[in-house]
Amino acid sequence: MTDQYRSQWPDRRESAEHPRMSSSAPGPAYPPVPAFPVPGPRRDYASWGPRLRARLIDQAPTYLGLIIFSAGYLLWVVELALSGGSAFQFEGAVVAMIIGLSVMLASLPWVAYNRWMIAGRTGQSLGKRVTKIRLIGEETQAPIGALNAFIRDLVHILDWLTIVGYLWPLWDDKKQTFADKIMKTIVVSAESSL
């Protein structure tokens, strides 16, 4: 076979296969890649009960202050209703509300240390240690850090406003609240996450 420049070309084979690559090769050119174990889906998500108990333990001082404040407020409303708009004695109610507010404000350093600093660094606040659960990042499988623990608690406002956000772990596959979904965190059994 000759082209216009009179160069010689070898005759073409009729087959479309490359001459050095045949379909009857004895095996692949490279050894197969060893299979690495792929972890299955997690099954150690913490259920709603231990999460609720951990929250109650962590927030006990704050809830105590809230109960005192609410009792004082309720007392104030009852005294106002019974007085019929005339002068009434509300000193006891105001004192209870001030004490309750003071307890809530005094508990803020405890919350900052326990829920943000310690839980952010180790994944376990006091309540989570007692109930044997751990807060970790869904992607990193590690504690989320103090700043993210603080932001997660702020995002829990969405759970509080909707109420259903706190109940979401009851039927969610990963047992996550809305805050967990937004922050990409999970709460798991502490024994299995080590």
Side-chain angles (χ1 to χ4, degrees):
M1 174 181 219
T2 315
D3 61 5
Q4 65 183 8
Y5 301 109
R6 299 187 192 272
S7 54
Q8 296 286 326
W9 293 93
D11 289 335
R12 287 188 192 182
R13 291 187 179 197
E14 296 299 322
S15 169
E17 286 187 73
H18 189 276
R20 293 193 185 157
M21 298 185 101
S22 129
S23 61
S24 62
Y30 297 101
V33 177
F36 291 101
V38 177
R42 287 192 85 116
R43 301 208 188 285
D44 61 342
Y45 298 110
S47 63
W48 193 73
R51 291 180 67 148
L52 177 64
R53 285 191 302 275
R55 178 78 178 202
L56 290 174
I57 292 168
D58 290 341
Q59 297 289 125
T62 306
Y63 292 150
L64 176 65
L66 184 61
I67 289 169
I68 295 169
F69 180 85
S70 299
Y73 181 75
L74 183 63
L75 182 62
W76 181 75
V77 169
V78 168
E79 287 180 357
L80 182 63
L82 292 176
S83 71
S86 63
F88 64 95
Q89 299 294 324
F90 60 88
E91 289 85 17
V94 170
V95 168
M97 289 192 299
I98 290 172
I99 290 172
L101 189 61
S102 299
V103 170
M104 284 190 285
L105 289 174
S107 71
L108 190 58
W110 164 251
V111 171
Y113 175 74
N114 182 47
R115 288 190 54 88
W116 305 333
M117 301 282 292
I118 299 299
R121 188 169 26 110
T122 66
Q124 288 187 301
S125 60
L126 174 64
K128 286 180 177 61
R129 251 189 324 256
V130 168
T131 57
K132 295 180 175 52
I133 58 177
R134 182 180 303 277
L135 171 68
I136 57 175
E138 188 174 11
E139 296 167 353
T140 63
Q141 304 294 309
I144 61 174
L147 179 61
N148 284 334
F150 168 71
I151 294 170
R152 179 178 175 266
D153 269 1
L154 285 181
V155 177
H156 269 308
I157 293 170
L158 177 63
D159 294 324
W160 180 80
L161 290 175
T162 62
I163 304 298
V164 73
Y166 279 122
L167 300 175
W168 205 262
L170 289 171
W171 56 80
D172 187 66
D173 291 340
K174 296 180 181 178
K175 310 284 188 215
Q176 292 175 300
T177 63
F178 290 164
D180 289 323
K181 289 185 178 301
I182 291 169
M183 295 299 296
K184 296 182 179 167
T185 57
I186 53 176
V187 180
V188 296
S189 171
E191 287 87 16
S192 63
S193 65
L194 294 176

